[in-house]
């Protein structure tokens, strides 16, 4: 980017600058402009040089630099013969000379607002809110085209130029949020520290604390903080900052996934979400309400997901990720896999490595549930690896638990147990509920495959106990088909009828079993799972043990 000077050894600097000595002053000016312009355009270089000299600059002005082999000059391009030559020339100039060159380049680049803003910024030693606003626009354009690193750099520069502390804090925290998305914890922590030294109002200070917890989705936080986040989002929205309010609500909704804040906190989040001046079918709002109220708003979320499904692949990767997350909560297996699969390539291309393991984990989770375990296995493995690399321990635990479930589905019970133990070791001390729920499901599948039906029933029934750390509001519905099978095989049908009646009373009206969990011994690698009958326990609950994967298989949440 403009203004960046790469470090040079003293020997290299002397070697490069020696060639500059003795060049005509006009040639030195043109050479400095070319070095700072970060472009090989002769036209740009000559136009900016002409502004400095106050006269039209012709290509011949660069000829002396070409003669001493500093550059290669063509009709329309100027190329430095060594990649470090630009830095050497910039380092050999004075601040006043560099500033003059940047101002001239900014004036020349009127049709290229991003490059123009950078040159204005580098040439501005103090504060300038106008230039900072241009950099805000530059950062927004970079973010939308996937240039997360460029967006972070632009926001940092805009923060430096901010005239007011609240504007500076907002820009630093916006950059920190992008650093979280890219998985750069070191950068995020540095930006948050820079914001924290400012005289922040309580609302901004609360935002700084919330941001860094995103790496762990607030799992280690006091669960009572969820209503505080609802209040924070409401106050931010009341100040007219709707986009930050949505992001704070999303963070709070994720805490409803990883923890259990209780119905009062969930209602508080819904009330804030419903009041935001945002269309109800906005993908982010669909995801937020699905996470907060997967049963109460489940039917509505499914309707909106199906309406948005036609746009998959034409939206942004971030939007597809939101939609995949929403589909996870309401059990739309086909849509979750579809949205997450669409999101992953874009997130990878944009370098948003903090978000990528989340999309991959959702993709693997539902590919396994749709019976495509061969595809799911490497996807889950990559999700685990990326989560480790981006300092997301509980996301790593979840991806590891998904791998354990896949191993159980393929009959590799030893591997399933080992992976489940690893995931449980990470999740249990902090009570990361979706990890523990997936571990319980894995243990239940393993026990079913080994014909330990009492153990399977005990493992799976824990997912339905609100007092158990494996209880997760949405994911509890995923085990009912397996639990029913375990109950029948263990002679616990009376207990299962009670569970089914209770499930109906709290809104789980019908659960369709995952096809991958009921494919029979020839496909799953498990034993004792054959048979073609359906055991009827209640009007709304049945298990078919001979089912093959269908194109779509889901639970309907109401």
């Amino acid at each position: 980017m403009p203004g960046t000077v790469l470090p040079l050894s003293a020997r290299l600097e002397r070697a490069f600058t020696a060639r500059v000595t003795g060049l005509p002053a006009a040639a030195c000016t043109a050479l400095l402009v070319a070095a700072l312009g970060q472009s090989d355009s002769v036209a740009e270089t000559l136009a900016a040089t002409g502004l400095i000299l106050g006269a039209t600059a012709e290509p011949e002005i660069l000829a002396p630099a070409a003669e001493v082999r500093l550059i290669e000059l063509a009709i329309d391009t100027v190329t430095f013969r060594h990649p470090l030559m630009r830095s050497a020339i910039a380092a050999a100039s004075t601040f006043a000379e560099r500033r003059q060159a940047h101002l001239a380049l900014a004036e020349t680049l009127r049709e290229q607002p991003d490059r123009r803003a950078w040159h204005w910024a580098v040439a501005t030693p103090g504060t300038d809110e106008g230039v900072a606003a241009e950099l805000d626009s530059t950062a927004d354009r970079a973010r939308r085209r996937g240039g997360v690193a460029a967006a972070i750099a632009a926001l940092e520069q805009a923060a430096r130029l901010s005239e007011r502390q609240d504007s500076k804090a907002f820009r630093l925290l916006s950059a920190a949020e992008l650093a979280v998305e890219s998985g750069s914890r070191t950068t995020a922590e540095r930006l948050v520290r820079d914001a924290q030294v400012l005289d922040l109002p309580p609302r901004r200070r609360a935002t700084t604390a919330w941001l860094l917890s995103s790496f762990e989705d607030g799992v280690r936080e006091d669960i009572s903080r969820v209503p505080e986040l609802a209040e924070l989002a409401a106050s931010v929205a009341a100040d007219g900052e709707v986009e930050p309010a949505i992001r704070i609500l999303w963070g709070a909704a994720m805490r409803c996934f990883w923890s259990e804040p209780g119905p009062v906190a969930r209602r508080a989040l819904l009330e804030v979400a419903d009041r935001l001046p945002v269309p109800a079918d906005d993908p982010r709002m669909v995801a937020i309400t699905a996470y907060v109220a997967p049963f109460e708003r489940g039917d509505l979320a499914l309707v909106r997901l199906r309406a948005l499904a036609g746009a998959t692949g034409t939206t942004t990767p971030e939007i597809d990720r939101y939609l995949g997350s929403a589909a996870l909560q309401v059990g739309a297996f086909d849509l979750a896999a579809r949205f997450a699969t669409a999101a992953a390539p874009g997130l990878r291309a944009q370098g948003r490595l903090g978000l990528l393991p989340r999309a991959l984990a959702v993709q693997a989770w539902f590919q396994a549930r749709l019976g495509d375990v061969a595809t799911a296995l490497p996807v889950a493995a990559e999700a685990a690896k990326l989560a480790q690399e981006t300092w997301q321990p509980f996301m790593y635990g979840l991806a590891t638990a998904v791998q354990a479930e896949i191993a159980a589905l393929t009959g590799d019970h030893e591997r399933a147990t080992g992976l489940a133990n690893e995931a449980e070791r990470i999740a249990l001390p902090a009570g990361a509920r979706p990890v523990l729920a997936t571990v319980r499901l894995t243990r239940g599948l393993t026990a079913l495959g080994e014909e330990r039906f009492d153990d399977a029933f005990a493992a799976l029934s824990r997912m339905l106990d609100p007092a158990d750390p494996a209880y997760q509001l949405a994911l509890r519905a995923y085990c009912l088909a397996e639990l029913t099978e375990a109950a029948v095989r263990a002679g616990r049908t009376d207990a299962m009828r009670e569970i089914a009646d209770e499930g109906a009373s709290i809104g789980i009206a019908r659960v369709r079993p995952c096809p991958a969990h009921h494919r029979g011994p020839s496909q799953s690698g498990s034993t004792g799972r054959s048979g073609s009958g359906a055991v009827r326990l209640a009007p709304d609950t049945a298990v078919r043990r001979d089912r093959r994967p269908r194109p779509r298989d889901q639970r309907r949440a109401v």
Side-chain angles (χ1 to χ4, degrees), residues 404-405 407-409 411-418 420 439-453 455-456 459-460 526-527 529:
E405 182 184 345
L409 287 171
D412 190 347
H413 299 150
E414 182 177 354
R415 175 173 166 78
T417 299
V439 166
R440 285 291 118 206
L441 181 56
T442 298
R443 298 202 191 286
L445 289 170
T446 299
L448 279 173
E450 295 174 348
E451 298 187 342
R452 295 183 287 107
F453 303 119
D455 290 343
L460 295 169
S526 301
T527 60
R529 304 284 305 275

Side-chain angles (χ1 to χ4, degrees), residues 172-174 176-178 180 192 206-215 255:
L172 286 171
L173 294 177
S174 296
E177 188 173 355
L178 288 176
V180 170
V192 166
T207 302
T208 63
W210 160 73
L211 259 177
L212 290 181
S213 69
S214 299
F215 283 100
R255 283 155 174 78

Side-chain angles (χ1 to χ4, degrees), residues 317 340-350 356:
T341 302
L347 294 174
R348 194 189 307 278
Q350 293 175 359
L356 181 56

Side-chain angles (χ1 to χ4, degrees), residues 398-432:
L398 184 56
T400 301
V402 172
Q403 292 181 86
E405 182 184 345
I406 293 170
L409 287 171
T410 57
D412 190 347
H413 299 150
E414 182 177 354
R415 175 173 166 78
T417 299
L419 289 167
N421 290 343
E422 167 71 2
E424 190 172 53
R425 180 188 64 78
I426 295 165
L428 191 57

Side-chain angles (χ1 to χ4, degrees), residues 76-416:
D76 55 357
T77 61
V78 53
T79 307
F80 284 87
R81 294 181 62 87
H82 192 285
L84 293 177
M85 187 66 71
R86 292 180 187 270
S87 292
I89 291 169
S93 63
T94 66
F95 170 76
E97 290 169 337
R98 292 194 299 274
R99 183 170 187 269
Q100 187 180 43
H102 282 301
L103 289 172
L105 283 162
E107 186 66 24
T108 300
L109 297 169
R110 289 182 175 274
E111 302 302 316
Q112 299 183 51
D114 292 343
R115 292 181 63 202
R116 182 173 186 265
W118 270 110
H119 285 293
W120 273 119
V122 175
T124 305
T127 61
D128 189 316
E129 195 60 38
V131 178
E134 286 199 34
L135 284 169
D136 286 340
S137 299
T138 294
D140 186 56
R141 286 189 290 270
R143 183 186 61 79
R144 282 190 276 112
R145 67 173 178 264
V148 177
I152 292 171
L155 286 168
E156 278 199 82
Q157 191 74 280
R160 179 184 68 81
L161 296 170
S162 299
E163 295 175 355
R164 301 186 309 277
Q165 282 211 343
D166 61 339
S167 298
K168 183 174 184 176
F170 178 78
R171 287 163 175 146
L172 286 171
L173 294 177
S174 296
E177 188 173 355
L178 288 176
V180 170
E181 290 185 4
S182 67
S184 179
R185 186 163 194 155
T186 301
T187 300
E189 289 174 343
R190 174 177 58 80
L191 291 165
V192 166
R193 283 196 303 270
D194 290 347
Q196 286 174 330
V197 300
L198 303 174
D199 185 17
L200 300 177
R203 176 167 56 78
R204 284 270 190 259
R205 196 161 293 282
T207 302
T208 63
W210 160 73
L211 259 177
L212 290 181
S213 69
S214 299
F215 283 100
E216 296 181 350
D217 295 294
V219 173
R220 299 188 197 275
E221 290 179 352
D222 186 343
I223 199 63
S224 66
R225 287 211 62 217
V226 171
E228 294 176 13
L229 287 175
E231 293 174 7
L232 177 62
S235 66
V236 169
D239 288 346
E241 298 179 9
V242 177
E243 289 299 313
I246 293 174
R247 292 195 291 271
I248 292 169
L249 266 185
W250 173 248
M254 289 302 295
R255 283 155 174 78
C256 292
F257 177 65
W258 290 95
S259 307
E260 181 45 60
V264 174
R266 289 176 182 270
R267 281 195 297 272
L269 290 172
L270 280 181
E271 289 171 3
V272 175
D274 290 341
R275 290 199 305 268
L276 288 182
V278 182
D281 61 352
D282 182 298
R284 297 166 299 177
M285 302 312 295
V286 174
I288 287 169
T289 55
Y291 266 89
V292 175
F295 294 102
E296 181 181 342
R297 301 285 180 94
D299 272 346
L300 187 58
L302 277 171
V303 170
R304 287 173 176 159
L305 283 168
R306 299 211 178 280
L308 291 164
T312 306
T314 62
T315 58
T316 67
E318 186 176 8
I319 292 302
D320 284 333
R321 186 183 76 87
Y322 278 121
L323 296 175
S325 298
L328 181 152
Q329 291 301 295
V330 298
F333 300 155
D334 56 329
L335 292 180
R338 177 178 174 184
F339 286 129
T341 302
L347 294 174
R348 194 189 307 278
Q350 293 175 359
R352 302 173 90 164
L353 301 184
L355 300 181
L356 181 56
R358 297 167 181 267
L360 291 174
V362 172
Q363 180 183 343
W365 206 339
F366 286 102
Q367 281 174 331
R369 280 168 171 72
L370 290 169
D372 189 3
V373 292
T375 302
L377 185 57
V379 174
E382 185 185 6
K385 181 174 183 293
L386 283 172
Q388 273 190 311
E389 292 174 353
T390 53
W391 301 90
Q392 299 182 79
F394 301 114
M395 199 63 233
Y396 167 72
L398 184 56
T400 301
V402 172
Q403 292 181 86
E405 182 184 345
I406 293 170
L409 287 171
T410 57
D412 190 347
H413 299 150
E414 182 177 354
R415 175 173 166 78

